[in-house]
């Protein structure tokens, strides 16, 4: 489809990056009709970015993959950038992550390549006001559904932010921080030496939200994903089951939002019987005939016929989202009870963090 523009200004895409799309937390309740849930690959990073600008956790933001875009800001905005480090800058100055940042009209946001992680998220106070389709603003590129004309962003696209074109009005807390940071930015710009002068008065909050979801990433053994045995776990040889939780695998270049393909020790299934196609969900570790595991991700199909040797715990799906080609992955066996306990603990930590964020007054 061609470039889609809207009358309400927020951000203009100057350069689109490798894969930049509008994402929220996905389409809930349509998998029985064959429609993927989709949504942000790293739900934690998007939720944190939204909380830092006073949005509902599920508001739409921008998902940036591996190589980031260049965006021109066309109205004053309070934004937050969370997730992978893609060298974000504002008019050439480093953009602080994991905190509210006031960005004035005329500023240019630029992102480079992924230094650590794979995907970064931009939230703006009020959200991105692209139309909802089947209850979500998320982009499903394969289905040409949602987002901006159902596709990745392109140079020349205009993105509505804040209270325009269906986005929400900024929450009072966010409006207060935007006002305070605007004043701070103007004061800094007014006193900056001319030689190193700040062209526009942007400013960041002096505090940040600690990114607590990535504790299992970038260790000596690579990214550690906790996983439970899958429904066909017993159909694999003992050697294959041991290899899954002993060996290191590498993320293959063919990985995408549908699934993370891994290379390494092949996993051999003892049973030769074909499986009937059955329901699958993100996190399932399928093993096709070649023996190379595939971890299903946000845009995965709704049914599949490959055996499932394991299922990644929900709490570690943000780690999977941040795995880029070449990264090492190792699986760690946990029980269902342990996985549920870890998920409850994560949600409790987020609730504590929400209270801490809201207690920060300018």
């Amino acid at each position: 489809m061609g470039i889609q523009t809207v009358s309400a200004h927020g951000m203009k895409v100057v350069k689109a990056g490798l894969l930049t799309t509008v994402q929220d937390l996905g389409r809930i309740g349509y998998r029985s009709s064959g429609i993927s849930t989709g949504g942000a690959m790293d739900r934690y990073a998007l939720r944190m970015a939204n909380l830092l600008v006073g949005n509902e956790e599920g508001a739409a933001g921008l998902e940036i993959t591996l190589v980031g875009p260049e965006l021109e800001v066309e109205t004053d905005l309070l934004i937050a950038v969370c997730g992978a480090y893609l060298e974000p800058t504002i008019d050439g100055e480093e953009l602080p992550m994991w905190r509210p940042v006031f960005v004035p009209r005329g500023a240019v946001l630029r992102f480079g390549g992924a230094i650590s992680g794979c995907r970064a998220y931009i939230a703006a106070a009020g959200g991105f006001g692209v139309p909802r389709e089947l209850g979500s603003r998320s982009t499903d590129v394969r289905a040409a559904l949602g987002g901006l004309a159902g596709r990745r962003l392109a140079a020349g696209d205009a993105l509505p932010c804040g209270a325009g074109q269906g986005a929400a009005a900024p929450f009072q807390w966010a409006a207060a921080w935007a006002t305070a940071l605007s004043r701070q930015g103007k004061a800094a710009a007014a006193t900056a030496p001319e030689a190193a002068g700040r062209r526009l008065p942007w400013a960041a909050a002096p505090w940040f939200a600690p990114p607590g979801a990535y504790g299992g990433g970038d260790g000596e053994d690579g990214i550690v994903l906790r996983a439970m045995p899958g429904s066909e776990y017993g159909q694999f040889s003992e050697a294959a089951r041991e290899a899954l939780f002993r060996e290191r695998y590498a993320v293959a270049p063919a990985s995408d939002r549908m699934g993370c393909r891994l290379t390494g020790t092949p996993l051999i299934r003892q049973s030769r019987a074909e499986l009937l196609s059955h329901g699958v969900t993100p996190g399932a570790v399928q093993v096709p005939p070649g023996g190379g595991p595939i971890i299903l991700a946000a845009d995965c199909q709704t049914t599949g016929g490959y055996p499932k040797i394991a299922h990644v715990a929900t709490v570690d799906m943000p780690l999977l989202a941040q795995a880029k080609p070449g990264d090492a992955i190792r699986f760690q066996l946990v029980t269902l009870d342990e996985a549920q306990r870890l998920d409850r603990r994560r949600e409790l930590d987020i609730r504590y963090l929400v209270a801490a964020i809201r207690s920060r007054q300018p």
Side-chain angles (χ1 to χ4, degrees):
M1 296 184 180
I3 291 173
Q4 176 174 318
T5 59
V6 288
S7 58
H9 298 297
M11 292 183 184
K12 181 179 179 180
V13 180
V14 180
K15 296 179 182 178
L18 182 64
L19 176 62
T20 305
T21 55
V22 178
Q23 300 292 342
D24 56 21
L25 296 184
R27 288 180 178 82
I28 308 301
Y30 293 95
R31 294 186 68 83
S32 61
S33 300
I35 298 171
S36 297
T37 302
M41 281 282 287
D42 186 342
R43 296 166 65 90
Y44 177 85
L46 177 63
R47 291 171 70 186
M48 288 299 100
N50 275 319
L51 289 170
L52 288 167
V53 295
N55 292 345
E56 295 292 332
E57 294 179 28
L62 300 185
E63 180 180 273
I64 301 167
T65 305
L66 286 175
V67 178
E70 180 177 325
L71 305 167
E72 182 179 343
V73 177
E74 297 189 320
T75 188
D76 292 352
L77 290 173
L78 187 71
I79 70 166
V81 178
C82 296
Y85 180 63
L86 276 74
E87 301 180 290
T89 62
I90 305 176
D91 291 335
E93 297 184 81
E94 184 176 1
L95 188 160
M97 295 179 59
W98 300 95
R99 69 192 72 200
V101 180
F102 172 77
V103 183
R105 178 180 179 181
V108 176
L109 308 179
R110 292 185 179 90
F111 294 79
I115 302 299
S116 64
C118 182
R119 295 175 173 88
Y121 294 82
I122 305 174
F128 288 85
V130 298
R132 294 182 186 272
E133 294 192 55
L134 299 180
S136 170
R137 305 184 203 269
S138 280
T139 308
D140 186 332
V141 173
R142 282 184 170 82
L145 180 67
L148 201 64
R151 54 165 173 77
R152 65 183 69 194
L153 299 187
D157 283 338
L159 295 166
C161 300
Q165 293 290 315
F171 182 58
Q172 185 177 0
W173 178 92
W177 269 105
T179 299
L181 292 175
S182 172
R183 291 172 182 161
Q184 179 182 320
K186 289 176 182 177
T191 58
E194 185 175 346
R198 177 175 290 187
R199 189 171 69 85
L200 288 169
W202 68 271
W207 51 271
F208 69 97
Y214 307 115
D218 298 329
E220 290 185 2
D221 288 331
I223 297 169
V224 178
L225 300 177
R226 289 164 287 195
M228 301 152 282
S231 54
E232 285 74 51
Y233 181 75
Q235 296 182 13
F236 287 83
S237 67
E238 183 178 354
R241 297 196 299 266
E242 290 178 353
L244 178 68
F245 294 104
R246 182 188 66 238
E247 303 292 334
R248 289 201 308 174
Y249 289 84
V251 178
S255 301
D256 57 18
R257 282 180 49 88
M258 283 193 71
C260 181
R261 296 178 178 270
L262 304 179
T263 59
T265 302
L267 303 175
I268 306 303
R269 180 175 172 238
Q270 291 177 315
S271 173
R272 297 296 179 184
E274 293 252 348
L275 295 176
L276 293 175
S277 188
H278 52 275
V280 293
T281 59
V285 184
Q286 291 187 319
V287 183
I294 303 171
I295 310 174
L296 300 186
D299 282 354
C300 73
Q301 69 277 20
T302 58
T303 61
Y306 292 144
K308 303 183 294 298
I309 191 171
H311 200 289
V312 174
T314 299
V315 72
D316 283 344
M317 290 300 283
L319 293 174
L320 178 68
Q322 296 300 344
K324 58 182 179 294
D327 282 352
I329 283 182
R330 187 169 64 82
F331 293 96
Q332 178 182 322
L333 182 64
V334 295
T335 66
L336 176 60
D337 284 345
E338 288 175 302
Q340 291 174 334
R341 178 182 58 80
L342 290 166
D343 194 40
R344 289 194 299 269
R345 179 73 239 184
R346 170 66 50 75
E347 290 303 313
L348 183 60
D349 288 344
I350 291 175
R351 299 280 68 79
Y352 288 148
L353 190 56
V354 170
I357 290 172
R358 293 294 174 260
S359 70
R360 295 279 188 173
Q361 298 297 324

